[in-house]
Amino acid sequence: IVSIVVALLLPNWYTATVNAVPPQSNSSGVEGAMGNISSALKDIGLSKMGGGSSSDGYSLSVILESRSVKDSMIIKYDLRNHYDMKKNYPEEVMLEFEDNLFITYEKEGNILVSITDKDPELATRMANDYLVVANHFAADVYRRDQTLNREYMDNRMKTVDSTINAISEILAGLTESSLMFSPAEQAKAISTALVDLKALVYQYEIEYDMLKSTYGEKDPATIMKKNLLERSKSKLNELMKKPGFAGNFSLDQSGRIGIKYMMLYTEIEALSKAKAYLIPIYEKIKLDETKNMQTLLVLDKAIKPTKKSKPKRSVIVIGAIIGVFVLSVLIILILSSISNFKRKYHQISNDRN
């Protein structure tokens, strides 16, 4: 009887449920290429990005179960007064709200958010608003993450540009001082000229030896050929030792200058290619930073419940009856045991007397 009276006096609670799904990942070919570039740059230390969207980088449960979302709901609906917990600590209000909040992650991928309250209309509004608040915080986290990525890429782009400018200044100074502007073409031209000059020296040596052996050293033709040979050797030695033939440097210094030029040129080319990879990623990050991203998409809005979710009065009454029955049996057994003990005790006492 008491259980029936108590069950009838308990207020009805209603549960409203909203069904939501995460957005389906739909990367285009360009976005896929950006992802591949991002992964490659991340492997070599040029990128810190971990994904294209918040759902890729963060678990949805982190957002839905966050204290910020729950606190926002408590403040928005003044649940401290609604639960009549004005004198309680905020942590106790949070625990009460969490007792009335149920988040279920279905194996099909959808998410069910249920809120239980005595007021069915309030439960419906809270269930629908819970996803709105969660989306707000998810978008905020996403934008902050993209802002950090954008700031990182800003610094990286500035570093690359400043390095290219600095190396370009050094390369320009080297070109002005040495007149080295195209090592490959200049080396080819120098090589061709030296080959022709050395071939001419060998030719003069052969002709001089032939004239010398035929007409002797005093012959005018031999003397003239000897002079041509000496002048050719002197010219070859001058080209090898003095600057001006290929640039403002001697040929014995051309290797060192050419290597320095190619190292600087290679560094500029490598940085330029790295910048070419960074530019589309940088533009995508700037676009994503301003994009209105929604983490959870509502599939079925919560509707006002017409049937109570608790209390289960029949369960309460049946449970109370079973409990009272078990308790009664235990009491009877205990009283019976005590009565038997007293009877035996008195019997033993009488037998002794």
Side-chain angles (χ1 to χ4, degrees):
I1 293 173
V2 172
S3 65
I4 294 175
V5 173
V6 172
L8 292 175
L9 292 177
L10 290 175
N12 292 332
W13 290 76
Y14 300 89
T15 300
T17 302
V18 59
N19 186 14
V21 293
Q24 186 177 6
S25 177
N26 185 18
S27 299
S28 63
V30 176
E31 291 176 341
M34 294 305 101
N36 294 334
I37 293 173
S38 174
S39 299
L41 294 177
K42 183 178 179 182
D43 292 338
I44 62 176
L46 291 179
S47 175
K48 63 177 281 292
M49 294 178 297
S53 67
S54 178
S55 59
D56 295 332
Y58 308 100
S59 172
L60 293 175
S61 61
V62 175
I63 302 296
L64 292 172
E65 302 283 357
S66 66
R67 180 176 54 83
S68 298
V69 176
K70 296 174 183 176
D71 280 339
S72 299
M73 293 294 294
I74 292 173
I75 294 172
K76 180 176 182 179
Y77 288 97
D78 193 16
L79 296 182
R80 191 163 188 169
N81 290 327
H82 179 68
Y83 293 151
D84 195 18
M85 303 177 68
K86 299 178 183 178
K87 298 181 180 180
N88 295 67
Y89 292 106
E91 294 82 1
E92 296 175 347
V93 181
M94 175 68 73
L95 290 174
E96 179 67 21
F97 177 67
E98 289 177 345
D99 288 340
N100 297 323
L101 173 67
F102 305 94
I103 300 176
T104 307
Y105 304 93
E106 301 292 332
K107 61 180 181 180
E108 291 80 7
N110 59 313
I111 299 172
L112 303 178
V113 178
S114 303
I115 293 183
T116 301
D117 196 85
K118 298 176 184 178
D119 185 350
E121 293 184 359
L122 181 62
T124 304
R125 294 200 308 270
M126 290 173 63
N128 288 323
D129 283 348
Y130 196 90
L131 289 186
V132 175
V133 175
N135 276 334
H136 169 76
F137 280 98
D140 181 65
V141 171
Y142 174 80
R143 290 192 187 95
R144 278 187 288 161
D145 183 47
Q146 292 302 316
T147 299
L148 291 175
N149 286 335
R150 196 252 311 152
E151 291 174 353
Y152 172 83
M153 294 299 291
D154 278 337
N155 295 332
R156 175 61 64 178
M157 293 288 288
K158 290 177 182 177
T159 301
V160 172
D161 288 337
S162 62
T163 305
I164 290 176
N165 292 334
I167 296 176
S168 298
E169 290 294 329
I170 297 174
L171 186 61
L174 179 64
T175 301
E176 292 177 1
S177 61
S178 64
L179 298 180
M180 173 76 73
F181 53 87
S182 180
E185 295 181 2
Q186 286 179 276
K188 184 177 180 180
I190 293 170
S191 177
T192 302
L194 286 176
V195 168
D196 293 341
L197 184 57
K198 284 188 176 182
L200 185 62
V201 170
Y202 293 147
Q203 178 183 341
Y204 286 159
E205 286 181 345
I206 293 171
E207 291 176 352
Y208 170 70
D209 289 338
M210 291 177 62
L211 290 173
K212 179 181 177 181
S213 61
T214 303
Y215 301 107
E217 292 185 0
K218 303 296 183 180
D219 187 79
T222 303
I223 295 173
M224 182 181 68
K225 189 62 66 176
K226 182 179 180 181
N227 292 334
L228 289 175
L229 176 60
E230 290 177 351
R231 285 200 298 269
S232 298
K233 289 183 176 181
S234 176
K235 184 65 175 178
L236 179 61
N237 184 63
E238 181 180 350
L239 293 179
M240 294 295 295
K241 299 296 182 181
K242 294 182 180 180
F245 175 62
N248 194 19
F249 56 89
S250 59
L251 290 182
D252 55 1
Q253 295 179 331
S254 61
R256 180 174 58 83
I257 296 176
I259 291 174
K260 184 176 181 181
Y261 181 96
M262 291 306 299
M263 288 178 63
L264 295 172
Y265 182 78
T266 301
E267 191 70 19
I268 291 177
E269 285 292 312
L271 289 171
S272 298
K273 289 185 177 182
K275 183 178 179 180
Y277 281 117
L278 292 174
I279 287 176
I281 301 174
Y282 180 56
E283 294 298 328
K284 184 178 183 299
I285 290 176
K286 290 197 297 184
L287 179 63
D288 290 342
E289 189 178 9
T290 59
K291 184 171 63 176
N292 185 17
M293 189 275 303
Q294 189 176 15
T295 303
L296 291 169
L297 304 176
V298 177
L299 185 62
D300 299 316
K301 282 189 175 182
I303 59 175
K304 180 180 177 181
T306 57
K307 294 183 179 181
K308 64 180 178 63
S309 58
K310 64 178 183 179
K312 303 295 184 181
R313 292 185 173 89
S314 58
V315 175
I316 293 174
V317 173
I318 294 173
I321 292 173
I322 295 174
V324 169
F325 175 76
V326 173
L327 183 62
S328 301
V329 171
L330 290 175
I331 292 174
I332 292 171
L333 291 175
I334 293 172
L335 292 176
S336 177
S337 298
I338 294 173
S339 178
N340 290 333
F341 176 77
K342 288 181 178 180
R343 187 175 63 255
K344 289 181 180 180
Y345 177 78
H346 290 302
Q347 184 178 358
I348 293 171
S349 298
N350 292 331
D351 291 340
R352 287 180 179 178
N353 294 330

